[in-house]
Structures are given as C-alpha cells and as structure tokens.
Amino acid sequence: MKIGILGTGFMGKHLARKLAAAGHDVKAANSRGPETIPAEALEMGARAATAEDAVRDVDVAILAMPHPGFEKIRPLIAGLSEDVVVIDISNYFPGRDPVNPELDGTKAESEWARDFFGRPIAKAWNSIGMVSFETKGRPNGEPGRIALPVSGDRSRDREVAMALVDDTGFDGFDAGTLADSWRQQPGSPVYITDLTLEEMGSALASAERERLPKRRDLSAQVFAERVGERASPDAETVVRIARALFM
Ligand SMILES: NC(=O)c1ccc[n+]([C@@H]2O[C@H](COP(=O)([O-])OP(=O)(O)OC[C@H]3O[C@@H](n4cnc5c(N)ncnc54)[C@H](OP(=O)(O)O)[C@@H]3O)[C@@H](O)[C@H]2O)c1
C-alpha cells in the first residue's frame, strides 16, 4: 500500500522502518522538513517527504504525533479523499499535552480526533510502549505474539489497520467503533501491558472508564519517579509497572 506517516519520533520512525520492510511504499514527514528526518527512519526504504507530500496520493495516512501537532496538519487531513484510511496512534497526556476540556471523560480521544479532522479515522498502535514496539514484533502465528486493539467506525478502516498492525509484527484485535475506543486509552488494562490475542477481549471488557484518567496520571508519576522525566525504562519495567497499575 502507499502509506504516508506524519511524525518520525519514537513511534513514527519504527512504523516507517517496519512498514517499508514489509514491502509498503512509505513516505515519512516530521514538522521541520525532509532533511531533518532521522536516517534510522529511512533505512528500510521509506522516503523523506514534507507533510504535504507525505499524504499526497496515499492509501493510508498515519498520524504519529502528539495532539499539539494536529492543528498544523488539520487542513491536510480534512482534505484527504474519503477512501484514504487515516490511522491515529496518539494518546492524550495532560501535563505533556495542553489540557483539552473536550477530553474530560465523556468523549473518547479518537472521537475527539475524528470530530477535529471532520472525517473518519481509525485508532491503532497507541497501546504499545515504544520499546516493546521496537523490539517485540514477531511473525504471524508465533506463540505469545502481542496483540493490539484497533478501533474505527468503518469496518474497512479497521481491516486495513489490522492488516498493517500485523505487518509490524503484532496481532490486530478488532475493538469495534470509536465510541468504545476509550477502552484502549492510557490507564486501561490493555495499555502498554503487552497482552496476547487470547487475553485481549476480556482485558478490554474489564476496563473501567472513570478510573482511566487517575491511573494514567498516576502512571506518569510512577515512571517519572522510577526513571526520571527524560529517560526510557526498559520494556519489562514498563510492562511490570503497567500491569500493576492498570490490570
Ligand atoms: N512513545 C511511545 O511509547 C508511544 C507509544 C504509543 C503511542 N504513542 C503516541 O504516539 C504519538 C507520537 O509519540 P512519539 O513518542 O513518537 O512522539 P515524539 O517522539 O515526540 O515524535 C513526534 C513526531 O511528530 C512530529 N510532528 C509534530 N508535529 C508535526 C506536524 N505538524 N507535522 C508533521 N510532523 C509533526 C515531530 O516532528 P519533529 O521531529 O520535527 O519534532 C516528531 O517527529 C503521541 O501521541 C504518543 O502519545 C507514543
């Protein structure tokens, strides 16, 4: 497929690597220009582009940036053809992101993103930590493969996103429409806990909406205390803490 990725940070660069390695035609953009895109993002064949070029004539556009970047790309995404599958991987962290009063618990983050861009979106890859994403992908069928929930209001969006999740080394799990996508947000039992396909259904069902924001904010404090504001904990530490707090 022809894929444009907006964002080449921790997640975007590995999406670019994995999807290009899987044989997709990938363009990647950041906020500053093609010449500043890390070489690591391009090593498997993805091409550096401006944001405008990255989403021109594509089948899929992936938003791999925090919410503050959305305003700048709003016209680009709103102007894409209805056929393009737009996949948002973002999570909302007040403290890191400006407080968004619309995300006070009544609207799922991806419902807000859908309404912000005024077009259908799917949500995928938001629930895996970056170190697990980089290091724990496995071939389809391998026992213990990690599963990732995929939400979206159009079944084709979910199908395409699940196929791409598979191409990045993880099992896609159809988590239904965006109205239910709060179940895969930070603080939920499936968030950065590295569950398998067999574990995913019951974990999504056990999410308790009113507890998510508290658990999300608590986890940010715990990670900051354990490893500092800027350091990255190893994958096992992330999973151990997340399972203790969220499950
Ligand atoms: N890190 C994780 O473990 C993880 C896991 C799952 C999901 N997520 C979510 O995924 C999103 C990205 O996370 P990340 O850790 O990869 O972030 P990051 O390392 O901060 O990278 C963000 C990327 O977005 C780019 N960007 C920002 N505004 C842009 C714009 N208007 N046009 C094009 N590119 C733009 C930045 O460009 P520059 O390079 O030019 O600054 C940067 O490349 C966040 O919402 C995060 O919550 C993160």
Side-chain angles (χ1 to χ4, degrees):
M1 300 190 103
K2 291 186 279 184
I3 301 174
I5 302 176
L6 298 182
T8 55
F10 291 119
M11 289 297 288
K13 70 182 173 195
H14 290 293
L15 281 165
R17 291 176 65 86
K18 285 169 181 269
L19 292 170
H24 297 287
D25 178 5
V26 179
K27 292 182 278 185
N30 64 9
S31 71
R32 290 163 294 142
E35 66 289 349
T36 65
I37 291 175
E40 201 185 348
L42 309 174
E43 276 171 358
M44 308 307 288
R47 287 169 289 137
T50 62
E52 290 75 13
D53 287 342
V55 297
R56 186 174 296 131
D57 185 29
V58 290
D59 305 304
V60 176
I62 301 177
L63 314 184
M65 68 182 70
H67 288 177
F70 279 10
E71 188 61 52
K72 202 170 163 193
I73 59 160
R74 191 177 194 166
L76 279 181
I77 302 305
L80 292 175
S81 145
E82 279 283 299
D83 299 343
V84 175
V85 178
V86 175
I87 309 175
D88 176 25
I89 79 157
S90 71
N91 293 303
Y92 169 59
F93 278 94
R96 181 198 70 180
D97 303 328
V99 171
N100 182 344
E102 288 189 63
L103 291 177
D104 61 0
T106 50
K107 217 176 209 189
E109 290 167 27
S110 16
E111 291 182 294
W112 171 80
R114 174 197 64 201
D115 297 346
F116 179 86
F117 291 115
R119 58 149 297 132
I121 63 163
K123 186 180 187 85
W125 290 295
N126 77 295
S127 66
I128 186 153
M130 61 189 180
V131 185
S132 287
F133 186 60
E134 178 184 354
T135 61
K136 292 191 180 176
R138 299 284 179 268
N140 192 324
E142 194 165 292
R145 197 184 198 216
I146 293 168
L148 305 182
V150 173
S151 303
D153 292 336
R154 301 190 300 194
S155 57
R156 182 172 170 273
D157 288 352
R158 297 199 301 276
E159 279 161 25
V160 168
M162 285 195 292
L164 294 178
V165 164
D166 186 44
D167 287 341
T168 60
F170 302 90
D171 285 329
F173 181 95
D174 188 337
T177 64
L178 296 184
D180 257 345
S181 65
W182 60 268
R183 294 178 184 277
Q184 68 191 75
Q185 287 179 190
S188 88
V190 308
Y191 182 71
I192 62 173
T193 47
D194 287 5
L195 303 181
T196 62
L197 205 53
E198 293 70 34
E199 297 167 316
M200 186 54 65
S202 58
L204 282 167
S206 72
E208 297 172 84
R209 191 165 196 168
E210 60 288 351
R211 301 177 83 164
L212 262 54
K214 262 190 201 162
R215 291 179 174 191
R216 172 199 64 204
D217 296 345
L218 186 59
S219 71
Q221 287 176 33
V222 171
F223 285 122
E225 194 283 328
R226 288 290 297 240
V227 297
E229 297 284 351
R230 304 212 167 268
S232 304
D234 63 83
E236 293 325 313
T237 304
V238 170
V239 172
R240 192 161 42 81
I241 292 173
R243 288 185 177 187
L245 292 174
F246 304 153
M247 295 186 78

